[in-house]
């Protein structure tokens, strides 16, 4: 699998996602959720650090494509 990914000249991040997709298709959905909400998660992490306690934060979940 790794050689096939390298032969396709994918960067390391895409190669990792491809391997995760092969192992567990649901993992890539989770990864996409994190990528889509990276800024909101970063702000939330900073708020938690500043407050020294857990924070409730809002993210956006996109509707699935058909």
């Amino acid at each position: 699998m790794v050689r096939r990914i390298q032969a396709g000249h994918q960067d390391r991040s895409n190669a990792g996602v491809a391997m995760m997709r092969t192992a567990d298709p649901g993992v890539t959905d989770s990864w996409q959720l994190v990528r889509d909400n990276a800024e909101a998660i970063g702000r939330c992490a900073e708020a938690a650090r500043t407050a020294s306690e857990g924070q409730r934060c809002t993210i956006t979940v996109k509707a699935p494509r058909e």
Side-chain angles (χ1 to χ4, degrees):
M1 177 70 179
V2 173
R3 287 180 189 216
R4 190 173 85 215
I5 291 169
Q6 289 173 341
H9 303 292
Q10 293 182 344
D11 63 33
R12 288 182 185 206
S13 177
N14 288 338
V17 170
M19 288 190 294
M20 288 187 293
R21 184 179 296 127
T22 299
D24 180 0
V27 169
T28 56
D29 293 338
S30 299
W31 176 245
Q32 189 61 48
L33 184 63
V34 170
R35 287 178 66 172
D36 289 348
N37 289 282
E39 288 182 30
I41 293 168
R43 287 190 303 269
C44 192
E46 179 61 23
R49 187 190 67 72
T50 301
S52 297
E53 62 183 25
Q55 300 292 305
R56 290 185 177 265
C57 302
T58 302
I59 61 168
T60 301
V61 179
K62 294 181 179 179
R65 296 182 196 152
E66 294 194 39

